[in-house]
Amino acid sequence: MNASPRIITADLLRDLATGLLTAAKVPSDTATIVAGSLVEADLAGHGSHGVRRLVPYLDRIEAGEIVPGARPEVVARRGATTVVSGRRGFGQAAARLAAEEAAGLAAAHGVGVVAIRECNHVGRLGEYAETLARRGLIAQVVGNADPTVAPYGGHRRMLGTNPMAWAVPRAGGAAVVMDWATAAMAEGKLGLLRAAGAPAPDGVLVDPGGRPSTDPDDFYRGGALLPFGGHKGYGLSVLIELVGGLLTGTGTAGSPEYDGTFGTVITAVDIGAFVPLTEYVAQVEAFCLALRGSGPGVLVPGEPEAETRAARLAEGVPVPAPVWAELAVLASRVGVPWPDTPPGG
């Protein structure tokens, strides 16, 4: 339970993840996209969306919920809008196509809005928002997910964790990035606590009877996560259901019409349609520097991830021992050799 994490280079971790996916009949180009996305999440310090997702992904393939060979496609265009179908394949491939479409629409119209239907889990939303920001765009991404969260004042699972991400460009190719779930804690982070045998913080979940709990197992027994910030997180989550869920045809998480996928909407804004890009970025950078200078502990959104990524590229990615063990079992299941890397090595 308290074993040291395995320290794995990003390149090796990416290769291992790609191997597991290709063994599950995922085409090599899609496997490369998905593995790269998962490892980028681990590099950024968001292990909830990292390689630990391989186990449920391959389970979903076996259950027929992810079609491993499906490729996303554009199914509708109108003005500054596009609809992409993920065709129930990997959401990362669909989100990458949608981000490209959004960027092209913004270049042509000043703004682009892309809805993704039949879309499985896309990974970390901040990845796509940051990609667009690095291209000189303002980006917003929202998505509704399966019902795991109770509404404010209730205890039944009616909402998804329903994340959203914003990003704007900074100087030098950096970006201000904010990516957060509207739940008090993302389910993936709760899963990491459970694997480590650690309690959840107060105010994160209720047990199946609606009583406050700090035991992660209570969620997996049928309890529910809570919105962050009480009514504020709840209100944001409701709006994401109505935008991400209904514009994509996915349905709201707590309704009989919900199709079990991840309704995602990506918006990209061409800054140059409003003010000169160079002037805007200079002002963003000045503001960020002023924020940093206002106190010794101040960081700008996106900086913790950038610092963590730089450190992990140099020193390796810590993979929790329980996650490493799960991946080893998964590798045996699909017939992929798995290295017996010692803790800390």
Side-chain angles (χ1 to χ4, degrees):
M1 191 72 69
N2 297 314
S4 300
R6 273 58 174 171
I7 307 300
I8 313 297
T9 67
D11 286 343
L12 175 57
L13 196 57
R14 198 177 293 111
D15 289 345
L16 292 171
T18 302
L20 289 173
L21 289 162
T22 53
K25 311 301 182 188
V26 180
S28 60
D29 56 342
T30 302
T32 298
I33 290 170
V34 176
S37 176
L38 298 178
V39 173
E40 281 298 319
D42 279 318
L43 283 169
H46 294 287
S48 58
H49 289 65
V51 294
R52 71 175 294 273
R53 291 278 176 178
L54 287 166
V55 175
Y57 283 178
L58 267 64
D59 286 345
R60 286 175 65 84
I61 288 175
E62 289 186 359
E65 296 167 349
I66 293 178
V67 182
R71 298 183 184 277
E73 61 179 346
V74 172
V75 295
R77 284 194 175 97
R78 179 181 173 186
T81 68
T82 293
V83 178
V84 167
S85 171
R87 301 181 62 212
R88 292 192 174 260
F90 276 95
Q92 286 88 346
R96 177 175 286 199
L97 173 60
E100 285 295 324
E101 287 288 322
L105 289 168
H109 301 282
V111 65
V113 182
V114 181
I116 316 175
R117 62 178 53 160
E118 297 180 301
C119 181
N120 279 304
H121 187 259
V122 302
R124 180 173 164 258
L125 297 192
E127 172 187 343
Y128 312 104
E130 184 171 3
T131 296
L132 290 168
R134 291 182 184 278
R135 295 172 66 164
L137 300 164
I138 293 174
Q140 183 194 49
V141 187
V142 300
N144 81 321
D146 56 301
T148 54
V149 179
Y152 179 65
H155 67 273
R156 287 178 52 207
R157 296 185 178 194
M158 295 293 294
L159 306 162
T161 53
N162 294 0
M164 65 185 301
W166 282 73
V168 302
R170 287 186 65 174
V176 178
V177 186
M178 188 65 191
D179 177 1
W180 69 105
T182 52
M185 177 175 285
E187 183 279 325
K189 295 185 187 298
L190 187 69
L192 289 175
L193 291 177
R194 183 193 193 198
D202 290 332
V204 165
L205 71 141
V206 292
D207 69 14
R211 295 175 291 269
S213 173
T214 59
D215 182 356
D217 279 329
D218 277 337
F219 170 78
Y220 298 98
R221 295 186 187 109
L225 294 168
L226 296 172
F228 84 84
H231 67 283
K232 296 180 181 180
Y234 164 57
L236 276 174
S237 186
V238 168
L239 289 169
I240 291 171
E241 292 284 356
L242 301 179
V243 175
L246 298 187
L247 285 186
T248 61
T250 300
T252 56
S255 71
E257 294 77 25
Y258 175 63
D259 70 4
T261 61
F262 192 84
T264 307
V265 177
I266 299 178
T267 302
V269 178
D270 181 3
I271 294 165
F274 301 92
V275 295
L277 176 60
T278 54
E279 177 183 314
Y280 179 85
V281 171
Q283 291 176 332
V284 169
E285 195 62 25
F287 182 53
C288 290
L289 293 175
L291 289 171
R292 289 292 300 266
S294 68
V298 176
L299 292 174
V300 175
E303 289 181 343
E305 288 83 0
E307 292 175 3
T308 300
R309 187 177 191 278
R312 291 185 173 185
L313 281 173
E315 302 165 7
V317 179
V319 180
V323 173
W324 187 258
E326 287 181 348
L327 294 176
V329 171
L330 182 62
S332 176
R333 192 172 98 198
V334 297
V336 171
W338 198 254
D340 184 20
T341 306

